[in-house]
Amino acid sequence: MSQPLHSERFTPFLQQEKLQRPRYRALFNYLQQRILGGELPSNSRLPSTRELAELLKLSRNTVKQVYEMLHSEGYIETRQGDGSYVALQLSLSQTQQARSQQPQIQPIQLSAMSAQLKEIRPLFHQDKQRLLLPAIPALDQFPWPAWQRSVGHAGRQMRFSRDRNFMGEPQLRNEIARYLNATRGIRCTTEQVMICSGSQQGMQLAFSMLLNPGDKVWVEDPGFPGIDGAISNAGGIKVSVPIDRHGFRADLALANPQAARLAFITPSRNFPLGYTLSIERRLQLLQWARTQGCCIIEDDYDSEFRFDGPPLTALQGLEGEHSVIYSGTFSRILHPAIRLAYLVLPPALVAPFNQMRGFLDGGLSSLPQLALADFMSRGLFAGHLRRMRKLYKARRAYLRQQVEQRFAGQLTLEPSDGGMHCVFLLPPDSDDNAIVTAAMQQGLGIRPLSYYYDQQSPLAGLVIGFAGYTEEQIDEGLARLKPIVTQQLAITHKHRS
Ligand SMILES: Cc1ncc(COP(=O)(O)O)c(C=O)c1O
């Protein structure tokens, strides 16, 4: 027997102070919740659309639309010549019973691999309002009108580009290959270039393609912390290798050549100390990779900004094209949010990486890729780079000179031939974390050098970005930093004596 539906069942709907918009959505949600909650039991007869429209002061079309939605989602059924009823198959177990028992929601279980990520040192949040952040380019110098023209051009081009290419848009890959051949001595064809959403994605992909669970990866200590999660997520184990002024201590690592399957290094400029890998060690590492069937990932994150000479030839260019995956990014040259980077793959890895990319994300959106290809083909990228190299060189000189003047005896420059930040060492035993914590409260984005260390006993120091800041901003940042450094060094001195 069907039960009649009483109008008081709709009183709460009428009493709602503010009706959700659109109204049909409000009525649909109301009826859906009542049906699922068992207040409108199976087999209850709903009022006719005319009756309900009058009662709720809604248009009849709105109520009709709601009934159609409830019908098509299986909540109600229509009986010929009789009306609409709450569906019979919504049994008690799914409605009243479910409601009365209020089952406890069990948390979704993360995989062991994801749970492991909690153990990894967190990355600093890049709050762009802060002063002296490392890795921030001069965003106000970016040629926005020209970029917008390139974006417009890309939008028009998209009409004609129908092919999906997992490795990236051929125009952009072609521009990158040409640029790398000319400026970095990289040996590659367009086919070897794979576009990624940041070098972070490229590394993640490379690790997942090259590591078996438990395989070891040599990394520099100190080094880029963003790599930790990518290695761990691929089931790999990070093995930290110290560096010295000649870069990665290949002599230490190669004492046991079977110890690792992969090496992740920054040969042009160690991150963050800025040391360049010597030619002897480059050749030793290449020899290791070739003879052991291993791979080197060369993270060339900001080699464009070498101020004391032309950019160095990449490791890949030293006959490393079969053993080295070269990784470059546009985050530092153009904009951190552009999220475009690339890998240059050894020819033998192109097909498997292409296949994997199809499974992973099917490639990236064409629009920013086509825009960047246009920007590069019109010489705007090269022009911007030339201007930024000049500007950053001047900003670096200003920062160095100001630190020397204001922090004599407190901060000592660790020389490097380029980059977007400088490292200044503090006296031994200083607490660089305490300085940075206090500096952050004053709106600064400097980093403690010790944060980048893994095992080697860390040097205390400050990593100070200059590229994105005018002389006035550098002055302002250093003025805020001075009392903090003085106070902290006094505390250290007191503890020591
Ligand atoms: C050394 C190093 N490698 C790689 C990256 C990641 O670059 P992307 O923004 O392209 O993911 C960074 C970012 O700052 C970096 O400092």
Side-chain angles (χ1 to χ4, degrees), residues 135 198-200 203 224 266 271 299 301 329 331-332 336 339-341:
S199 41
Q200 193 76 36
M203 291 163 199
F224 174 52
T266 50
F271 184 81
D299 180 15
Y301 61 103
T329 179
S331 296
R332 287 170 176 249
R339 303 317 298 149
L340 283 175

Side-chain angles (χ1 to χ4, degrees), residues 23-263:
R23 287 173 179 208
Y24 75 85
R25 181 49 68 186
L27 181 58
F28 174 85
N29 289 348
Y30 181 82
L31 289 169
Q32 181 200 42
Q33 279 159 22
R34 293 304 175 287
I35 293 171
L36 287 175
E39 290 147 40
L40 297 179
S42 287
N43 212 26
S44 315
R45 186 175 189 278
L46 293 179
S48 71
T49 52
R50 190 179 45 76
E51 279 169 338
L52 195 57
E54 270 171 24
L55 178 70
L56 303 181
K57 300 196 175 35
L58 295 173
S59 82
R60 188 146 173 224
N61 274 345
T62 302
V63 179
K64 267 191 184 162
Q65 187 182 0
V66 170
Y67 277 25
E68 273 162 26
M69 284 166 67
L70 289 168
H71 183 257
S72 57
E73 293 187 26
Y75 293 104
I76 65 173
E77 52 202 24
T78 35
R79 297 185 191 162
Q80 271 298 328
D82 192 2
S84 300
Y85 287 79
V86 175
L88 281 172
Q89 65 270 34
L90 288 174
S91 67
L92 273 184
S93 64
Q94 289 156 294
T95 57
Q96 280 150 317
Q97 211 183 58
R99 189 168 172 249
S100 62
Q101 287 176 355
Q102 291 282 357
Q104 255 209 340
I105 297 171
Q106 292 300 322
I108 297 172
Q109 298 295 313
L110 286 173
S111 70
M113 210 75 92
S114 335
Q116 225 167 281
L117 293 180
K118 277 205 216 116
E119 310 301 319
I120 291 174
R121 70 189 140 164
L123 296 177
F124 272 103
H125 171 62
Q126 277 217 339
D127 176 355
K128 308 249 172 0
Q129 303 308 319
R130 294 183 183 282
L131 289 177
L132 309 183
L133 274 166
I136 292 293
L139 299 177
D140 59 333
Q141 300 292 320
F142 188 75
W144 291 111
W147 173 251
Q148 273 149 12
R149 275 198 299 282
S150 291
V151 172
H153 175 81
R156 289 188 293 280
Q157 251 189 316
M158 269 185 79
R159 283 177 69 174
F160 310 105
S161 90
R162 295 208 163 71
D163 294 340
R164 251 177 91 207
N165 204 315
F166 301 150
M167 299 281 281
E169 290 295 327
Q171 291 99 310
L172 179 58
R173 294 162 65 203
N174 197 23
E175 288 298 332
I176 292 172
R178 279 212 330 228
Y179 162 71
L180 292 177
N181 283 316
T183 63
R184 309 287 298 110
I186 301 260
R187 303 159 175 228
C188 73
T189 61
T190 301
E191 287 66 41
Q192 284 168 263
V193 179
M194 182 176 86
I195 310 296
C196 309
S197 69
S199 41
Q200 193 76 36
Q201 186 199 32
M203 291 163 199
Q204 172 84 48
L205 180 64
F207 291 136
S208 69
M209 290 294 288
L210 299 173
L211 294 177
N212 290 313
D215 278 349
K216 302 215 169 75
V217 183
W218 284 328
V219 300
E220 296 158 333
D221 189 18
F224 174 52
I227 209 63
D228 298 10
I231 295 175
S232 163
N233 211 30
I237 296 171
K238 187 175 90 162
V239 178
S240 302
V241 178
I243 62 160
D244 62 16
R245 287 230 148 76
H246 304 288
F248 179 85
R249 291 282 309 267
D251 52 329
L252 292 183
L254 294 175
N256 182 2
Q258 274 95 38
R261 284 224 9 87
L262 250 173

